[in-house]
Amino acid sequence: MDTLQRLAIEAECSRLMTTFSLCTDTFDYDRALGLFVPDCTFQRADEVFEGLDGLRFVLNRRNPERITRHIVSNMLIDVEDETTATGQAYALVFGHVGALDEHGEAPLGAPDSLVIFNGGFTRTQDGWRIKTWRIDLSFRRKAA
């Protein structure tokens, strides 16, 4: 594999990580599901969900009144071969539940948490997709 091919794979996998966060923030669950292979695994804390139905369950149980924004950074993708890659990224999570101000904005407070995304990626006939996704909590803001 040449450098250009490896860089292209890294960019595609990084884009999957960012796109998933954006879809979560905007409640675009159909698009989020399209980023994953049908037999995917999604893990958060001690909960493991299998397949697209499991992922849909996780997404649908989110509080629809909670506004979130994920700031994804420090992405590092390791390309194993032409069809397999893994990666990690940090996500700083801001959240708000409640009324917005007259401009439709939420008040800015400290981030709720810092999590680590751990992804496993595979090339399909439709392009790169997420096969495994694990979210590990690193820091959480204590409730006031």
Side-chain angles (χ1 to χ4, degrees):
M1 170 184 332
D2 65 23
T3 300
L4 189 57
Q5 184 180 13
R6 182 182 52 76
L7 290 172
I9 293 169
E10 289 176 7
E12 290 183 53
C13 294
S14 293
R15 184 174 175 88
L16 287 168
M17 296 181 113
T18 303
T19 303
F20 179 72
S21 294
L22 180 65
C23 290
T24 302
D25 290 342
T26 60
F27 297 95
D28 190 351
Y29 297 156
D30 289 335
R31 184 175 179 202
L33 290 167
L35 304 173
F36 289 77
V37 295
D39 63 339
C40 64
T41 301
F42 184 93
Q43 181 177 351
R44 184 176 57 201
D46 293 333
E47 296 181 298
V48 178
F49 303 91
E50 300 290 338
L52 294 177
D53 288 339
L55 178 56
R56 185 183 310 276
F57 174 79
V58 170
L59 294 172
N60 284 333
R61 77 178 191 184
R62 291 184 67 230
N63 180 350
E65 297 178 7
R66 178 173 158 75
I67 298 168
T68 59
R69 294 296 180 262
H70 292 74
I71 311 300
V72 182
S73 69
N74 295 43
M75 285 184 246
L76 180 61
I77 305 297
D78 292 312
V79 178
E80 295 175 15
D81 56 39
E82 289 82 6
T83 62
T84 310
T86 58
Q88 284 191 326
Y90 294 160
L92 191 59
V93 184
F94 290 84
H96 173 73
V97 177
L100 302 178
D101 70 12
E102 66 274 6
H103 304 289
E105 299 171 352
L108 181 63
D112 289 349
S113 60
L114 174 69
V115 298
I116 300 174
F117 292 152
N118 297 279
F121 308 96
T122 188
R123 182 185 302 224
T124 71
Q125 64 184 16
D126 298 319
W128 284 87
R129 296 292 184 267
I130 302 169
K131 176 130 177 99
T132 62
W133 191 258
R134 190 181 80 235
I135 300 173
D136 295 324
L137 182 63
S138 289
F139 296 93
R140 178 179 301 233
R141 182 168 41 113
K142 300 293 182 192

